[in-house]
Amino acid sequence: MAENGGDAGRGQLSLSFGPVTEKNIEQLRVLNRAIFPINYPERMYKDILAYPDVTHLAYHNDVLVGAIACRLEKTPQGPQLYILTLGVLAPYRGMGAGTALLERCLQSVAANLPEISEAVLHVQVNNEAAIKFYSRFGFEVAETIAGYYKRLDPPDAVLLRRRLQPAAGDGAAA
């Protein structure tokens, strides 16, 4: 479950950003509980701490309003960015925080991890706002996975994928 709601139309928030650390990981846990219908396991938070370059917290007036949490995964096609969560508290949605978090993460990957050639995430099939949000950034539906979510209704997910860098030997721009 990667994004809850979209960014459309209510003006821009002034945001500051920070990394997730052992000292503030509990803030991320509380934020995720407030936003998502899933209680994420402790293992996910350990994974997040291992990838500080691709996990960001967004603050408005020193209040945590959103976060993007990712990890890097090895695949047969090479390393990829997996977006675990991207969420913004309901009162702050539609004000650019989700967009800013996603852009910041993707720019960080491009600048610091050029070997990462794609970003992927799963979204519940009925989360039209999230699918539309990601499509604005070039993500495309790669496949539908039946029964992906064990405790949600509907349980099916779509896998969204976006190419970040040209593949080796591929002269096309990303």
Side-chain angles (χ1 to χ4, degrees), residues 108-128:
S108 176
V109 168
N112 302 316
L113 301 162
E115 69 278 11
I116 304 298
S117 61
E118 71 177 356
V120 298
L121 66 139
H122 291 91
V123 174
Q124 197 174 11
V125 292
N126 66 340
N127 191 342
E128 293 174 17

Side-chain angles (χ1 to χ4, degrees), residues 21-70:
T21 66
E22 286 192 30
K23 292 183 178 180
N24 65 15
I25 190 85
E26 189 58 33
Q27 285 183 320
L28 177 61
R29 240 188 226 106
V30 169
L31 180 81
N32 283 345
R33 281 189 210 122
I35 295 172
F36 298 109
I38 295 172
N39 191 12
Y40 291 101
E42 180 64 27
R43 178 80 214 138
M44 184 184 92
Y45 293 99
K46 286 187 166 114
D47 285 350
I48 289 168
L49 287 171
Y51 302 105
D53 290 342
V54 293
T55 298
H56 306 279
L57 303 176
Y59 298 91
H60 174 65
N61 294 335
D62 296 326
V63 174
L64 180 62
V65 299
I68 186 167
C70 305

Side-chain angles (χ1 to χ4, degrees), residues 1 37-38 122-127 143-159:
M1 171 95 22
I38 295 172
H122 291 91
V123 174
Q124 197 174 11
V125 292
N126 66 340
N127 191 342
E143 65 181 296
T144 300
I145 302 160
Y148 181 81
Y149 295 108
K150 304 300 179 216
R151 294 185 173 105
L152 295 180
D153 185 30
D156 303 341
V158 291
L159 176 67

